[in-house]
Amino acid sequence: LGAKLTIKDQYGVVLPSVPGSWFSSDITVATVNSSGVVTGVSGSETGKTAVISFITTTGALSITRTITVKSVV
């Protein structure tokens, strides 16, 4: 099960094609593909965290989001 992350401007308008790359700070917790779809890999009852980042190819824009992955009990 994955969640799609989107990039929006300050007015909430989706920016459909911003050139750049997605990264996960810990791929043992969550991965993110080139389309911005985040998938939890492993969690725990209390939750494990990873930081998902997007950086434009020019480096002019950097976005980060902390996510928590919990185990289903």
Side-chain angles (χ1 to χ4, degrees), residues 9-21:
D9 68 12
Q10 68 270 30
Y11 305 107
V13 177
V14 174
L15 303 174
S17 62
V18 177
S21 300

Side-chain angles (χ1 to χ4, degrees), residues 14-37:
V14 174
L15 303 174
S17 62
V18 177
S21 300
W22 291 97
F23 301 94
S24 172
S25 66
D26 190 340
I27 60 171
T28 66
V29 175
T31 60
V32 59
N33 71 14
S34 61
S35 298
V37 176

